[in-house]
Amino acid sequence: MVAGDDGKCAVVEQRPEAEPEDGVPTRLGQAIMLHRAGDREEARNRLAALWQELGPRGDAFHRCALAHYLAGTQDDLRDALDWDLRALAAAEGFVTERPARARPAAAPAGGAPAGGAGPRHPLAALRAFFPALHLNLAADYAGLDRPADAHAQLRRARASVRALADGEHRRRLTAAILRLELRIEGAPGASR
C-alpha cells in the first residue's frame, strides 16, 4: 500500500494468482509501472484496454484492481470517483461471488505474501484493499467538496482497517485516514 499526498492509496502488496493464459496481473503491473514512471496517458490507455477486454463478467478481483488503478490515472476528479466506485463495486461483487470463483493468491515477486507464509486467498487480499478503496473515495468526495460523503467513507475505511492484522499496512492506512480527516477538517498542520 502506498499513500500519496492527496490522501489516496494504492495497494500493491497482494495480487491474485492468474490463470497462466490470461496475463492480467502482468499487464496490470506493466501499466502501473508506466504510471509511476510518469506516463499517465499510456498507463490509462493500457488499463482501459484491459478493462474492455475483461468486460463486466471478468474476474471481480481483476476488475477491482483495474478500476482502482484507472482512478489514479484520471485527470478529472469526477472520473476518478467513477472508477473508485467501480473498484468498490467489483470488490463487493467478489465477496458475494467468492465461493464459485475463489482461487489462492500468489506471493508477490520475491517471496511469501505480505502478512505471512503460504498462499493467500484473494478474499484476504481484498480485505486489505477495502480500507484503501474507502479512503480513496473519501479523498474523491473531499476534493469534490462533498464533506458528508467523505466522512461516511472515512468511517467505512476506519471500520475496515480494524479488521486487518496489526502491522505496517494497517498503520499506514490508519495514518492516511487521520491525515485525510485532518485535511477535510482544515486542521492546522494538515497537508492540502
Side-chain angles (χ1 to χ4, degrees):
M1 190 263 330
V2 178
D5 291 336
D6 61 357
K8 296 194 109 186
C9 289
V11 177
V12 295
E13 298 163 353
Q14 302 158 347
R15 293 180 210 118
E17 181 178 305
E19 296 164 7
E21 68 276 0
D22 75 6
V24 171
T26 299
R27 292 164 55 201
L28 175 60
Q30 291 167 342
I32 292 167
M33 288 173 33
L34 282 169
H35 185 219
R36 289 187 180 154
D39 196 346
R40 185 181 186 113
E41 185 176 352
E42 181 62 22
R44 181 175 45 235
N45 292 340
R46 288 187 187 198
L47 291 168
L50 194 49
W51 178 265
Q52 290 300 317
E53 187 179 312
L54 280 178
R57 298 212 188 278
D59 180 84
F61 192 99
H62 290 160
R63 287 192 335 267
C64 176
L66 277 167
H68 173 73
Y69 287 107
L70 266 162
T73 65
Q74 301 306 305
D75 296 323
D76 184 290
L77 194 50
R78 290 174 301 244
D79 293 334
L81 173 63
D82 288 342
W83 283 110
D84 281 329
L85 288 168
R86 287 179 187 142
L88 181 61
E92 289 172 340
F94 180 85
V95 171
T96 59
E97 71 183 41
R98 170 176 69 94
R101 302 188 55 122
R103 347 184 255 266
R120 292 177 64 97
H121 191 281
L123 184 57
L126 273 176
R127 221 172 253 133
F129 224 159
F130 273 108
L133 295 174
H134 291 299
L135 182 60
N136 287 354
L137 284 166
D140 294 340
Y141 286 129
L144 292 168
D145 198 25
R146 293 173 56 182
D149 292 324
H151 283 294
Q153 289 301 319
L154 282 173
R155 282 190 299 276
R156 293 182 76 187
R158 247 188 253 102
S160 57
V161 84
R162 281 188 223 113
L164 300 177
D166 193 27
E168 186 62 24
H169 180 65
R170 182 178 176 169
R171 284 189 291 278
R172 285 185 186 180
L173 281 167
T174 301
I177 291 166
L178 180 59
R179 280 193 308 274
L180 182 57
E181 188 170 51
L182 290 171
R183 193 181 88 195
I184 292 169
E185 296 303 322
S191 62
R192 289 203 174 267

